[in-house]
Amino acid sequence: MRLTIIGCSGSFPGPDSPASCYLLEADGFRLLLDLGSGAIGALQRHVGLYDIDAVCLSHLHADHCLDLCAYYVARTFHPDGPRPRIPVYAPGGTASRMAQAYGLAEPPGMTEAFEFATLAPGTRQIGPFQVTTAHMNHPVETFGYRLEHGGRSIAYSADTGESAALTGLARDADLLVCEASLLDGPDLPADLHLTARQAAQHAAQAGAGQLVLTHLVPWNDEARTLEEASGVPLDGPVSLAASGRVIDLG
Ligand SMILES: [Zn+2]
């Protein structure tokens, strides 16, 4: 199972990274986890535009979903004709939200390009991956993910405040990709995002093997993000996400 970080900038694209997007590959199957602002551009450095087999969206904030509009254009209006539909697993209401975002009438909206499947908490098979989703602690319906293949596992927090469900998804995972949007300070917003220290605490409680901090907001000092997470004793290494970084697991 290979993870390529396409975009890891939090809340809006940064100078060196698009917003959230992760490419997972196993057995020749390619799954995109989130498709945030700007991701389609950087994605093409790593994989053919039409080599994606499925898209999974965590939630409908623009920095996690809006480049589905760009991908709709790329798949629909190619000079050689439209590309076959691929599945998009996403919260309820995604098909209409995306149609509205692009100003498309429904039907068909984007349904001739994408086969929308509504997520619910639980486990399903997507290609070679066993995919478990759970509700996170965020102002809109948001799914965290656990993807398993060949005895290895990756958990992804999406956007969340403190969450026992996240700890459950990350239980004994080889890798936790966890948001760290906030730095320690007074008057932090509740039920929205995690600090780097809270991200590390979730990794510690879950017994995750490796922690990668992501959703790095451009106004934060990255060195301080890493330093605050490093103050929590962990079983494995902690590092910062970066666009283009590849992590091979087994
Ligand atoms: Zn969000």
Side-chain angles (χ1 to χ4, degrees), residues 59 61 63-64 138 159 193:
H59 67 300
H61 280 156
D63 61 315
H64 291 258
H138 200 55
D159 284 4
H193 287 298

Side-chain angles (χ1 to χ4, degrees), residues 138-192:
H138 200 55
V140 299
E141 185 179 34
T142 301
F143 291 93
Y145 282 76
R146 179 187 179 97
L147 296 106
E148 297 174 76
H149 177 268
R152 310 305 292 268
S153 52
I154 296 176
Y156 170 53
S157 67
D159 284 4
T160 189
E162 292 191 280
S163 167
L166 173 59
T167 305
L169 284 179
R171 178 72 57 205
D172 298 326
D174 295 290
L175 168 64
L176 170 59
V177 180
C178 191
E179 75 126 294
S181 306
L182 304 172
L183 294 170
D184 275 333
D187 304 323
L188 293 174
D191 306 322
L192 182 66

